[in-house]
Amino acid sequence: MEYLWNTFEENRAGSAVFAANPHPNFNVTFSYNTLRNNTAAATVLVNQWNGQYCLFPGLSANFQHNIFANPNSTLEFDAQLTNKNTPIDARNSFWGTADEFEITQNRIRDRLFAVTREEVVSFPYLRTANFSDAVPLDEPRKTFQTVGGLKGVVLGNASLPADTYTTIGE
């Protein structure tokens, strides 16, 4: 399924302006779309297909290069898939803000919200609604509290609450 170069503007919806219910046998691509001034619980909802909340191994959900600018929507992106091994790729999108904390904590609902949900990869993101304005890959990052742990990459110094931590990678 491919949804490319569409404009969704001034829509009012209850649960979602665009709901993707991907068949578990197919890739889904939603890219280069502009979603502006819509009002809904979530601008984009990635939900189950026929009772299945996952894509089969080897398949992907690509939501890159989109413009989300919906200040009246509760969320921009609600990921309800539960693969745990197939992150949803939403890199290089504008989320209505250039604040990474705001993006990951308040504009996207994924594994940060519930450990059973799929992760949404949103870094690097766009600082503005211009596709050439991505944050640099070496941009200082933040670490965020998640359900059951921490998420994020820290470049430079970070202060963490007193606790015992296990690091993965460098």
Side-chain angles (χ1 to χ4, degrees):
M1 298 183 308
E2 288 189 342
Y3 306 92
L4 306 171
W5 296 104
N6 296 290
T7 300
F8 301 83
E9 206 165 33
E10 301 289 339
N11 294 290
R12 305 287 178 258
S15 60
V17 172
F18 179 85
N21 305 90
H23 187 286
N25 287 319
F26 298 104
N27 293 317
V28 60
T29 300
F30 184 89
S31 296
Y32 296 101
N33 297 293
T34 300
L35 299 100
R36 184 179 297 122
N37 294 325
N38 298 291
T39 302
T43 307
V44 171
L45 170 67
V46 182
N47 201 352
Q48 66 176 329
W49 178 85
N50 200 24
Q52 295 190 26
Y53 278 95
C54 63
L55 296 173
F56 290 148
L59 298 178
S60 64
N62 178 0
F63 286 79
Q64 289 190 52
H65 304 288
N66 293 295
I67 306 298
F68 295 95
N70 303 284
N72 294 322
S73 288
T74 306
L75 298 167
E76 294 291 4
F77 200 97
D78 189 3
Q80 295 184 4
L81 295 179
T82 57
N83 276 35
K84 291 190 179 179
N85 296 320
T86 309
I88 296 170
D89 189 348
R91 295 173 296 154
N92 298 306
S93 291
F94 177 64
W95 299 96
T97 180
D99 182 334
E100 186 176 12
F101 182 84
E102 176 68 19
I103 293 167
T104 60
Q105 298 290 307
N106 299 321
R107 305 311 294 159
I108 298 171
R109 184 171 289 164
D110 68 344
R111 192 171 288 167
L112 285 174
F113 175 75
V115 72
T116 57
R117 291 180 179 220
E118 190 53 76
E119 176 184 9
V120 174
V121 178
S122 59
F123 185 87
Y125 53 88
L126 301 177
R127 290 182 283 212
T128 65
N130 181 332
F131 287 122
S132 65
D133 195 17
V135 298
L137 293 176
D138 62 352
E139 179 86 0
R141 303 291 308 281
K142 301 175 183 176
T143 299
F144 308 106
Q145 183 67 41
T146 69
V147 177
L150 297 171
K151 174 185 177 182
V153 176
V154 178
L155 298 176
N157 298 319
S159 297
L160 301 174
D163 204 341
T164 302
Y165 297 94
T166 301
T167 58
I168 300 171
E170 298 177 24

